[in-house]
Amino acid sequence: MAEFDVDLFVIGGGSGGVRAARIAAGYGARVMVAEEYRMGGTCVIRGCVPKKLFVIGSHIQHEIEDAAGFGWLIPQVDFDWPTLVANKDKEIARLEGIYTTNVEKSGARIVKTRAVFEDAHTLRLLTGETVKAKYVLIATGGAPNHGPAIPGIEHVISSNEVFHLKELPRRIVIQGGGYIALEFACIFAGFGTDVTVIYRGDNILRGFDEDVRAHVRAEMERQGITILTGCTVNKVDKPGKEFISHLSNGSSIASDLVMFAIGRHPNVANLGLENASVAINPNNGGIAVDGWSQTSVPNIYAIGDVTHRINLTPVAIRETTPTLRPRCFPNRKSAPSD
Ligand SMILES: Cc1cc2nc3c(=O)[nH]c(=O)nc-3n(C[C@H](O)[C@H](O)[C@H](O)COP(=O)(O)OP(=O)(O)OC[C@H]3O[C@@H](n4cnc5c(N)ncnc54)[C@H](O)[C@@H]3O)c2cc1C
């Protein structure tokens, strides 16, 4: 009987996990990938892709405004939020299908369930089944972080829920100064929502070039977005239908929706990492890895947002390359097609 059921077990069918599974299967490895929610992960299901569809949708208003200057006579137009959301959902379902098919075509097997470590080589699936793996890749991504549990935090939505709103809010308060918060601020403003951004720092887009920060802020304000810096939302009330955000500067703002996009945390909880002795990076709370994405346990690797370094899709995707080739498949000369 073979010592291992699979050569590589990938936990998470997102940007990093999907590519790793496909490429490893292309090398001839026996691969299993576990996904507890939907194939494609954050980027495809509730990140980059649906967001870009919303961005495109929200830009159309500006095009319509400009059109008259170019001779286009456009009659009175109307916008229907539920249609946008329904069509976005259709497109995401189509992409999810493509991701699933591509993984299956590569020869990897998908198990639609949660997987956790029982030990460094054994994964327990939620179905009760256990799988013995020679190598394990942790690609479990991250999740929105709401920050401290302020009073009324239960009224606040994150980027997960924002993609499924039944109706377009007339007024929204968005706390956060990073790119996700600001993109949603511009999306909603583009659809005509009255947007207020709250950020605790002195200017938005911390860590970006100073000229870019100043320019983006000025452009957002020019488009009618209110940006309040140097304060935080300390409490959210819901006296009736609307929400009241109470700010640390003593003021309060009424809105139809409150969204926080103040950061994300790596998905390391309840993964059974302690059963496998996988170390956490004390500096960022993600899984500690070396330059080859190898964890503290030699047969276990981690890539993408779960390592909490640069949380972007192309980074997660490209981190699979050094991980898979020289370490796990040293005898294979040519790489399978990408
Ligand atoms: C709103 C938003 C917009 C974004 N926009 C961009 C953008 O424009 N450009 C860009 O480059 N990046 C963007 N990102 C970031 C990008 O989505 C992530 O960096 C990328 O998805 C990380 O890929 P990953 O493989 O590490 O994890 P993910 O894609 O998050 O995949 C992890 C998967 O693991 C699954 N999982 C977790 N635990 C388990 C378990 N125990 N068992 C089984 N399955 C499990 C999850 O369900 C998930 O599907 C955005 C993110 C958000 C939230």
Side-chain angles (χ1 to χ4, degrees), residues 9-18 34-49 51-52 111 113-116 139-144 159-160 162-163 179-180 183-184 259 264 267 269-271 303-307 310-317 319:
F9 190 100
V10 180
I11 316 179
S15 304
V18 160
E35 171 52 57
E36 67 177 348
Y37 182 52
R38 293 177 67 181
M39 285 299 286
T42 304
C43 182
V44 176
I45 307 296
R46 47 192 180 190
C48 338
V49 177
K51 177 196 74 187
K52 279 176 180 114
V111 284
T113 182
R114 184 170 173 81
V116 299
T140 51
S159 63
N160 282 353
V162 78
F163 292 114
Y179 79 91
I180 294 178
E183 282 181 309
F184 277 103
M259 172 179 170
R264 293 177 59 81
N267 279 334
N270 307 318
L271 257 186
I303 54 167
D305 287 10
V306 75
T307 64
I310 300 174
N311 295 342
L312 290 171
T313 288
V315 177
I317 288 175
E319 279 171 357

Side-chain angles (χ1 to χ4, degrees), residues 40-337:
T42 304
C43 182
V44 176
I45 307 296
R46 47 192 180 190
C48 338
V49 177
K51 177 196 74 187
K52 279 176 180 114
L53 294 174
F54 279 11
V55 167
I56 294 167
S58 70
H59 275 188
I60 289 172
Q61 196 208 328
H62 304 302
E63 309 264 318
I64 292 169
E65 281 164 10
D66 283 350
F70 292 93
W72 290 94
L73 303 178
I74 297 182
Q76 181 66 35
V77 290
D78 212 351
F79 168 68
D80 186 51
W81 173 262
T83 303
L84 173 71
V85 173
N87 288 341
K88 178 266 299 172
D89 287 343
K90 258 191 235 159
E91 178 59 9
I92 299 308
R94 188 184 74 85
L95 293 174
E96 184 185 6
I98 291 174
Y99 272 74
T100 303
T101 308
N102 286 348
V103 170
E104 286 172 346
K105 263 202 221 149
S106 75
R109 181 179 157 209
I110 298 170
V111 284
K112 288 297 297 289
T113 182
R114 184 170 173 81
V116 299
F117 282 99
E118 209 160 86
D119 62 46
H121 285 285
T122 312
L123 285 308
R124 176 166 290 281
L125 311 185
L126 215 55
T127 53
E129 196 187 337
T130 54
V131 180
K132 291 262 179 211
K134 186 171 180 193
Y135 293 101
V136 182
L137 179 69
I138 308 171
T140 51
N145 186 2
H146 264 358
I150 58 162
I153 193 74
E154 67 279 8
H155 301 311
V156 174
I157 66 157
S158 73
S159 63
N160 282 353
E161 294 77 43
V162 78
F163 292 114
H164 304 286
L165 298 178
K166 296 260 179 300
E167 53 190 47
L168 180 67
R170 210 166 42 81
R171 301 160 301 171
I172 188 169
V173 165
I174 300 180
Q175 175 158 244
Y179 79 91
I180 294 178
L182 302 184
E183 282 181 309
F184 277 103
C186 294
I187 287 168
F188 282 113
F191 288 127
T193 299
D194 182 16
V195 181
T196 304
V197 172
I198 311 288
Y199 180 55
R200 65 179 175 174
D202 60 350
N203 200 4
I204 55 171
L205 290 176
R206 185 167 62 92
F208 283 73
D209 176 89
E210 287 303 324
D211 288 346
V212 168
R213 297 174 77 184
H215 180 70
V216 171
R217 180 175 185 163
E219 280 300 307
M220 288 178 69
E221 287 173 335
R222 200 172 61 80
Q223 290 187 26
I225 297 170
T226 304
I227 300 179
L228 302 177
T229 50
C231 58
T232 53
V233 177
N234 283 353
K235 183 179 169 191
V236 180
D237 279 338
K238 191 172 187 295
K241 274 195 161 175
E242 63 179 15
F243 298 96
I244 309 290
S245 299
H246 299 274
L247 308 189
S248 56
N249 64 10
S251 64
S252 56
I253 306 171
S255 66
D256 307 305
L257 198 65
V258 182
M259 172 179 170
F260 282 8
I262 56 175
R264 293 177 59 81
H265 61 257
N267 279 334
V268 294
N270 307 318
L271 257 186
L273 294 176
E274 58 293 346
N275 300 336
S277 304
V278 174
I280 296 291
N281 180 342
N283 298 321
N284 66 14
I287 292 181
V289 287
D290 67 10
W292 298 96
S293 297
Q294 193 172 32
T295 70
S296 54
V297 183
N299 72 300
I300 302 176
Y301 291 75
I303 54 167
D305 287 10
V306 75
T307 64
H308 213 27
R309 293 169 295 174
I310 300 174
N311 295 342
L312 290 171
T313 288
V315 177
I317 288 175
R318 282 298 137 192
E319 279 171 357
T320 59
T321 302
T323 306
L324 292 171
R325 197 172 305 162
R327 288 294 176 95
C328 299
F329 306 102
N331 301 325
R332 173 81 189 227
K333 294 279 184 296
S334 61
S337 65

